[in-house]
Amino acid sequence: MQVRTRFAPSPTGYMHLGGLRTALYNYLYAKKMGGKFILRIEDTDQERFVEGATEVIYETLRGCGIDWDEGPDVGGDCGPYVQSDRKLMYMPYAKQLVESGHAYYCFCTKEELDERRAAAEAKGEVFKYDKHCLHLSKEEVQQKLDAGVPFVIRQNAPTTGESKYHDVVFGDISFPNDTLDDMILMKADGMPTYNFANVIDDHLMGITHVMRGMEYLSSTPKYNLLYDAFGWEAPEYIHLTTVMRDAKHKLSKRDGDAYYSDFIDKGYLKEALINYLALVGWNPGDEREFFTLEELIEAFDIHRLNNSPGIFDVDKLTWFNAEYIRRLPPEKYLEMVTPWFDQVLAGKGIDYPRLAQLMQERTEVFNRVPDMVRFLGELPEYEVDLYTHKKMKTNPEVAKASLELVKPVLEGIDHWTEQNLHDALMAAIAEAGLKNGAVLWPLRIAISGQASTPGGAIEIAWLLGKEETLRRLEDGLNRLTK
Ligand code: GLU
């Protein structure tokens, strides 16, 4: 049997990290098993239609290397792969279920249902459709259909006994049938509900393994009843736990940590995100942490999926990200960091390739870069206390003397290279019998205005150029003289 998995997102305009992880696991499993991964767009809820949302799905998945073998844009033998394009396929199946007594027409209006719901709630009961229309005679049904009365088709779920199934992650699951409601299969607008369409489509598309969020764990018995009613074999179920921020909180749109784009916009690398996401909810059974997509395919095993919620720890992701950034080829890093440099250094004449060399090791997430290099564009405000450093044996007084010492030295350098800066400064420091730190620390403070910088005094002076370095040095002397 060839394994066929699918990812079936509803086009909402965003890719939730939980959804992306579901897509990833489906992809990994299909590839691992030499099977096929199918993309199906579930857009039967027309009210939720969002322009451009399908493209977001395509771009995100493709960007992450999660390619589908069959899907809306690549075709396949089981198309169409967009549910709304399949619209006409569902009604005959629904009618078949009506014929066999597994479903029935329901003509109850919204008002009637609301009234009954309110009455149930007033009694402290949970409202469940009461099979009212199941009891209509064949003739009554036909009359209403002929008269064009709007209808839905509901599943006729059993009210006694138990429904059982096996889930790869959660084991044996059973639900008392009296908790199942007669869910709507076909809506009044002629569209199937998700609850119906997922069964029909998974069957027609030959899906062997259904991997999806655990919010569907409790509806699955109802889907199995449908498979049974048609005499079809149900797929294997693999329900995935929710991706959480911590033990109590889900990832949230409001906190900006729910969507793929939230992280990409902040400057996380998609490779790092995919690598980390794979580990939120699955483990390889050994100590390995770094995986390319190929290596994930190789290592993936559905029996190693966790049944406790996956905690998406942003600090851990950041750690992964920093590692991935460190491993980038320098040219690639330069290309990626340039727009972030531009935010604060555009037109300032700073040598980006050199700055990139100094920054690559220190970059955890790209959106932290502008704050780290802003001082090169403009000297920040700072207090003279910054010149005090115990280990470097400096204080404002020492600093002043040091800056006075280096000023003519720097002025005397004609050819402004890091080597020349180094040689000239070292010679002057040695001649004065001072410690390197007692001179280089104050110089760094004077030209950067901050205690922590990418590179030291020499690199920064070179990046700033002679004129700007001397201007800032002068500014430092003024502050120390006040
Ligand atoms: N369209 C459903 C969703 O986005 C898919 C659930 C499934 O995979 O069956 O949640």
Side-chain angles (χ1 to χ4, degrees):
M1 176 192 73
Q2 187 187 49
V3 165
R4 289 172 64 84
T5 65
R6 89 303 194 270
F7 178 50
S10 302
T12 58
Y14 297 95
M15 179 67 79
H16 193 278
L17 288 182
L20 181 58
R21 191 192 62 171
T22 301
L24 175 66
Y25 288 168
N26 273 290
Y27 168 81
L28 295 176
Y29 187 58
K31 296 295 130 182
K32 166 99 190 180
M33 304 305 286
K36 297 270 188 262
F37 171 60
I38 288 117
L39 177 66
R40 178 171 80 224
I41 303 296
E42 303 210 323
D43 61 345
T44 52
D45 198 348
Q46 297 283 320
E47 276 165 34
R48 285 171 55 203
F49 183 79
V50 182
E51 195 73 49
T54 318
E55 285 64 34
V56 171
I57 296 169
Y58 295 166
E59 279 162 26
T60 306
L61 296 181
R62 286 223 170 89
C64 293
I66 304 174
D67 284 319
W68 46 101
D69 301 294
E70 296 172 28
D73 55 340
V74 300
D77 293 339
C78 306
Y81 292 90
V82 176
Q83 250 168 9
S84 58
D85 294 341
R86 301 171 69 80
K87 184 176 172 184
L88 299 177
M89 299 169 81
Y90 305 100
M91 190 54 102
Y93 287 104
K95 287 190 172 156
Q96 188 184 326
L97 292 180
V98 172
E99 285 299 307
S100 62
H102 293 97
Y104 58 92
Y105 289 98
C106 170
F107 303 92
C108 294
T109 62
K110 186 176 174 303
E111 291 68 35
E112 288 165 343
L113 291 173
D114 285 348
E115 223 169 84
R116 266 131 74 191
R117 179 172 298 113
E121 278 163 11
K123 281 195 270 170
E125 290 167 9
V126 188
F127 178 71
K128 207 174 91 166
Y129 184 71
D130 53 8
K131 292 189 187 277
H132 179 269
C133 290
L134 176 65
H135 309 297
L136 295 175
S137 70
K138 251 194 146 137
E139 294 67 34
E140 280 172 307
V141 170
Q142 198 52 54
Q143 261 172 17
K144 288 185 191 286
L145 292 178
D146 293 344
V149 180
F151 66 87
V152 300
I153 295 181
R154 287 182 185 272
Q155 179 176 28
N156 182 15
T159 51
T160 56
E162 251 187 353
S163 288
K164 293 193 175 116
Y165 71 98
H166 182 79
D167 182 272
V168 171
V169 175
F170 290 92
D172 290 327
I173 309 274
S174 80
F175 281 96
N177 286 340
D178 63 7
T179 61
L180 308 178
D181 58 335
D182 283 359
M183 62 181 185
I184 295 176
L185 305 178
M186 294 297 295
K187 297 185 274 192
D189 63 2
M191 280 287 202
T193 56
Y194 161 77
N195 287 324
F196 191 44
N198 89 89
V199 170
I200 303 298
D201 289 345
D202 284 341
H203 172 72
L204 294 179
M205 294 182 180
I207 302 303
T208 58
H209 294 74
V210 165
M211 215 183 288
R212 64 180 163 215
M214 66 178 285
E215 60 274 25
Y216 296 98
L217 207 56
S218 62
S219 327
T220 297
K222 295 187 276 196
Y223 308 149
N224 283 337
L225 288 165
L226 295 175
Y227 282 101
D228 289 347
F230 285 116
W232 296 339
E233 193 184 335
E236 290 263 10
Y237 291 108
I238 304 157
H239 285 99
L240 303 169
T241 58
T242 309
V243 179
M244 306 279 289
R245 185 193 326 153
D246 54 43
K248 289 210 188 79
H249 302 93
K250 290 192 176 181
L251 298 177
S252 85
K253 180 173 161 179
R254 212 187 44 211
D255 294 319
D257 62 5
Y259 300 130
Y260 171 77
S261 53
D262 290 332
F263 290 90
I264 297 306
D265 293 350
K266 284 180 190 137
Y268 285 89
L269 301 185
K270 47 192 183 236
E271 293 81 4
L273 190 55
I274 286 291
N275 187 155
Y276 178 56
L277 209 47
L279 299 171
V280 177
W282 168 81
N283 72 79
D286 55 35
E287 296 300 303
R288 277 180 300 166
E289 288 193 296
F290 288 91
F291 292 90
T292 61
L293 205 51
E294 283 303 311
E295 288 163 347
L296 281 174
I297 293 173
E298 180 65 35
F300 193 68
D301 178 355
I302 49 172
H303 300 290
R304 292 201 156 277
L305 289 167
N306 303 338
N307 59 10
S308 53
I311 306 294
F312 186 86
D313 176 353
V314 178
D315 291 338
K316 185 81 205 231
L317 169 67
T318 302
W319 177 83
F320 265 100
N321 201 58
E323 282 297 318
Y324 270 83
I325 288 181
R326 251 169 241 146
R327 295 171 191 200
L328 287 175
E331 325 73 73
K332 182 71 190 166
Y333 175 81
L334 174 61
E335 181 196 319
M336 296 188 79
V337 80
T338 293
W340 299 93
F341 284 167
D342 275 342
Q343 282 187 19
V344 290
L345 300 177
K348 301 279 187 185
I350 301 295
D351 186 279
Y352 283 4
R354 179 65 180 126
L355 180 57
Q357 278 173 352
L358 298 170
M359 283 296 292
Q360 185 163 359
E361 279 283 314
R362 303 172 150 249
T363 307
E364 293 185 304
V365 189
F366 281 110
N367 72 348
R368 300 185 189 173
V369 165
D371 280 347
M372 293 168 78
V373 302
R374 180 175 280 114
F375 75 94
L376 290 165
E378 199 174 330
L379 183 67
E381 215 17 81
Y382 67 98
E383 300 294 327
V384 288
D385 301 352
L386 220 48
Y387 286 103
T388 303
H389 194 298
K390 234 176 163 179
K391 213 171 121 225
M392 302 293 178
K393 299 204 178 358
T394 85
N395 57 36
E397 210 176 310
V398 174
K400 185 161 178 275
S402 295
L403 295 186
E404 275 163 354
L405 169 77
V406 300
K407 190 178 161 207
V409 176
L410 296 179
E411 279 167 346
I413 299 176
D414 290 329
H415 191 39
W416 196 257
T417 64
E418 285 188 30
Q419 189 64 51
N420 288 349
L421 276 160
H422 174 268
D423 295 349
L425 285 169
M426 288 308 160
I429 292 169
E431 199 178 314
L434 293 169
K435 290 253 183 256
N436 287 350
V439 176
L440 295 180
W441 178 266
L443 177 57
R444 178 145 74 109
I445 298 298
I447 63 180
S448 72
Q450 57 196 41
S452 165
T453 53
I458 292 167
E459 288 87 353
I460 295 167
W462 183 78
L463 284 167
L464 290 172
K466 183 170 177 177
E467 198 183 318
E468 179 64 9
T469 299
L470 287 168
R471 196 188 66 74
R472 291 184 180 198
L473 200 147
E474 198 60 49
D475 176 287
L477 278 169
N478 285 337
R479 285 168 198 259
L480 290 163
T481 308
K482 266 187 222 158

